[in-house]
Amino acid sequence: MKAKEGVVNVLNKVLTADLTAINQYFVHAKMCENWGYERLHHKVRERSISEMKDADELIGHILYLDGVPNVQRMNAVQVGETVLEQLKLDLKAEQEMLTLLSEGVVHCTKVTDFTTRHMLEDMAEDVDEHIDWIETQLETIKQVGVENYLAEQIKKES
Amino acid sequence: MYICLCRGITENAIKRLGEEGVLCPNALACELGLNEPDCCGRCLKNIERLTAIAQGQVRSVAG
């Protein structure tokens, strides 16, 4: 199917952010595993895999629209040295992703591509949830202190 | 945070270099090995930002 004007471009931009996020979350997850923070490792790894599923959907949709998925382009992967830094950098990445998705939704509405718009809206919902999760972690850290928070991350969530 | 993943250079490492008196772009590039041929060159392009970190002019990138 032929894409409406600018839609493939929008999808490729989201794909770039997505491919960057996959790597960022994956390395954060592995660092958490290395530090022994099992709960965080699982949470962040899950997030990385869900970004990969988004990339799967994006690439499929770009091809469906007769576009070329740009899997070569990536933004700078922002790796934190500590759990707190990782959370803050992941929050920043998710907020940027949300901006991108919102712009995409507006663009798709303008050119009346409602299928793509729907897809981006679903992704935005996921991002919203993740932002909320990170904000909760940051608030917990503020209340109980980073050491207490980290002590709780050593065990797996049942 | 990690400023350079090729060489594993952290923001804190740059700050420490700054505290040790490595404050000019050339000295920093030399100390961090950014002039080596196997470097991707992104850090050298952003050397002004790295210098600002060494001079303590930037709040943590991670906020």
Side-chain angles (χ1 to χ4, degrees):
Chain A
M1 204 179 96
K2 193 100 181 75
K4 297 265 170 63
E5 199 194 330
V7 171
V8 170
N9 201 15
V10 164
L11 288 168
N12 264 322
K13 270 193 201 162
V14 178
L15 180 62
T16 298
D18 220 68
L19 295 173
T20 313
I22 293 172
N23 286 283
Q24 183 167 320
Y25 300 155
F26 201 73
V27 78
H28 281 168
K30 293 307 278 185
M31 284 167 86
C32 285
E33 184 186 30
N34 185 47
W35 289 327
Y37 300 133
E38 272 303 309
R39 177 181 173 265
L40 273 179
H41 165 228
H42 281 279
K43 275 279 177 192
V44 182
R45 187 172 180 277
E46 246 171 52
R47 190 61 211 160
S48 175
I49 290 168
S50 106
E51 294 292 348
M52 198 179 271
K53 285 179 186 155
D54 283 354
D56 175 325
E57 216 178 318
L58 283 164
I59 293 171
H61 197 61
I62 291 169
L63 290 171
Y64 166 78
L65 293 173
D66 286 337
V68 179
N70 189 344
V71 288
Q72 187 146 266
R73 199 171 53 192
M74 261 228 283
N75 298 327
V77 179
Q78 304 211 290
V79 179
E81 284 176 69
T82 61
V83 167
L84 186 59
E85 260 189 20
Q86 290 180 349
L87 288 169
K88 286 178 178 170
L89 290 167
D90 288 356
L91 181 62
K92 209 171 110 199
E94 289 288 20
Q95 283 163 342
E96 282 164 11
M97 177 74 96
L98 193 58
T99 310
L100 217 53
L101 289 169
S102 310
E103 285 168 3
V105 168
V106 172
H107 181 83
C108 289
T109 312
K110 213 162 67 190
V111 298
T112 63
D113 178 345
F114 297 110
T115 320
T116 307
R117 178 183 133 172
H118 206 79
M119 198 178 98
L120 297 179
E121 277 173 345
D122 281 348
M123 287 177 187
E125 207 179 307
D126 240 29
V127 172
D128 273 342
E129 270 171 38
H130 191 218
I131 287 180
D132 183 53
W133 182 80
I134 299 175
E135 283 175 348
T136 305
Q137 308 311 300
L138 291 173
E139 184 56 33
T140 311
I141 291 173
K142 212 155 91 191
Q143 289 188 22
V144 304
V146 76
E147 283 88 358
N148 289 331
Y149 173 80
L150 291 178
E152 288 299 315
Q153 309 309 314
I154 294 169
K155 25 187 188 275
K156 230 185 259 181
E157 203 167 59
S158 48
Chain B
M1 66 173 277
Y2 281 87
I3 300 291
C4 162
L5 292 175
C6 323
R7 291 187 178 267
I9 301 167
T10 63
E11 211 180 338
N12 282 321
I14 298 174
K15 270 189 205 149
R16 271 199 302 278
L17 280 174
E19 282 158 15
E20 287 164 16
V22 187
L23 293 165
C24 79
N26 271 338
L28 257 180
C30 199
E31 198 67 38
L32 297 168
L34 305 181
N35 292 315
E36 310 282 322
D38 65 330
C39 219
C40 80
R42 194 180 275 184
C43 290
L44 216 48
K45 253 193 254 166
N46 293 323
I47 193 74
E48 295 296 325
R49 205 175 124 234
L50 267 59
T51 313
I53 294 172
Q55 293 173 349
Q57 289 167 359
V58 194
R59 250 184 67 228
S60 171
V61 186

